[in-house]
């Protein structure tokens, strides 16, 4: 496991700086799958607190459906190019964009998905809840902000979402988007998404 984490750190280093070793994508996929299998054996529990911070997406494998359409199921994936800054931000309540109260018994917070490309910024914001039994984070994006050269293009409710965000906390995870985390360290997180894809982030 230690050697696997070291390899994933090389992936993060390359994405952040453009320097150092760039592990082959198929090796990255195999490493993540090994980490996932190991996490299932150890069953170490985490919490939302361990996710708090800004995380830059380094590498993704795509969903199972996309991989099948591309002609491969195992292995493969791609590095996120340096010019495309994709970040996920996890933070605690309260948040100025979300006027909702979370039930005190739920380990929950705020998720933001940020896309930065040149002078264009897009941020999706919404509630998130953490289920420690399987280290699953369920989430929903309910608010969107888009800017170009610092000027607001749109800021408001996410099109197609319910106006009652509180309902999110009562809904079953079966009906929600989620990440199943299997690597959580101070500098790296990795998860499998609902669609079966793998993703690796590094802290920034």
């Amino acid at each position: 496991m230690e050697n696997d984490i070291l390899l994933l750190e090389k992936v993060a280093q390359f994405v952040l700086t453009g320097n150092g070793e760039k592990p082959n994508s198929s090796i990255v996929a195999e490493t993540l799958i090994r980490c996932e299998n190991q996490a299932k054996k150890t069953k170490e529990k985490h919490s939302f607190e361990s996710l708090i911070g800004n995380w830059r997406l380094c590498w993704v494998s795509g969903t199972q459906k996309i991989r099948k359409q591309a002609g491969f199921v195992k292995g493969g994936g791609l590095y996120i190019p340096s010019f495309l800054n994709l970040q996920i931000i996890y933070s605690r309540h309260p948040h100025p964009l979300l006027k909702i109260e979370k039930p005190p018994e739920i380990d929950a917070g705020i998720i933001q998905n940020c896309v930065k490309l040149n002078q264009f910024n897009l941020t999706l914001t919404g509630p998130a809840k953490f289920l420690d039994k399987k280290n699953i984070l369920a989430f929903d994006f309910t608010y969107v902000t888009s800017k170009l050269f610092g000027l607001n293009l749109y800021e408001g409710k996410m099109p197609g979402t319910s106006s009652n965000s509180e309902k999110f906390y009562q809904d079953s995870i079966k009906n929600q988007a989620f990440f199943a985390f299997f690597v959580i360290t101070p500098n790296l997180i990795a998860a499998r998404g609902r669609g079966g894809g793998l993703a690796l982030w590094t802290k920034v």
Side-chain angles (χ1 to χ4, degrees):
M1 184 72 170
E2 183 177 346
N3 289 336
D4 288 337
I5 295 299
L6 288 175
L7 184 137
L8 298 179
E9 288 178 346
K10 290 179 181 178
V11 174
Q13 179 69 14
F14 178 82
V15 170
L16 287 179
T17 68
N19 300 321
E21 181 183 345
K22 181 184 179 182
N24 183 276
S25 255
S26 62
I27 294 176
V28 178
E30 292 168 4
T31 300
L32 288 171
I33 290 171
R34 271 199 309 273
C35 290
E36 183 180 32
N37 291 335
Q38 181 63 26
K40 290 177 181 177
K41 294 177 182 178
T42 59
K43 297 181 180 179
E44 182 180 358
K45 292 183 179 181
H46 293 275
S47 66
F48 186 83
E49 188 71 26
S50 58
L51 296 176
I52 289 178
N54 292 36
W55 304 88
R56 181 165 179 170
L57 185 62
C58 298
W59 184 97
V60 292
S61 72
T63 65
Q64 291 177 349
K65 180 179 180 181
I66 290 174
R67 296 202 301 274
K68 287 181 180 179
Q69 289 173 344
F72 59 90
V73 178
K74 293 185 178 180
L78 56 90
Y79 282 81
I80 305 302
S82 59
F83 64 82
L84 183 59
N85 191 337
L86 305 178
Q87 292 188 23
I88 281 188
I89 302 172
Y90 297 110
S91 58
R92 284 291 188 187
H93 288 275
H95 192 281
L97 296 182
L98 297 182
K99 308 297 184 181
I100 59 175
E101 293 185 10
K102 76 172 188 69
E105 70 276 9
I106 295 179
D107 186 14
I110 305 297
I111 182 173
Q112 291 182 286
N113 194 6
C114 306
V115 179
K116 298 180 182 180
L117 180 60
N118 294 325
Q119 296 300 318
F120 176 72
N121 293 337
L122 176 69
T123 301
L124 308 179
T125 303
K129 59 185 178 184
F130 195 86
L131 310 176
D132 64 359
K133 288 185 178 180
K134 293 187 177 180
N135 295 322
I136 289 178
L137 181 90
F139 59 90
D140 187 22
F141 294 117
T142 58
Y143 198 92
V144 59
T145 304
S146 59
K147 295 183 179 182
L148 184 63
F149 294 101
L151 300 176
N152 276 357
L153 298 179
Y154 177 80
E155 185 174 45
K157 178 177 171 290
M158 184 81 170
T161 60
S162 169
S163 60
N164 182 13
S165 296
E166 285 87 347
K167 186 174 180 289
F168 166 79
Y169 297 112
Q170 282 72 46
D171 277 352
S172 168
I173 192 173
K174 295 179 181 179
N175 303 320
Q176 297 174 327
F178 65 81
F179 292 131
F181 287 95
F182 53 86
V183 172
I184 298 180
T185 75
N187 299 315
L188 296 170
I189 54 175
R192 186 179 291 278
R194 183 185 180 93
L198 297 169
L200 172 70
W201 297 263
T202 185
K203 201 161 199 176
V204 294

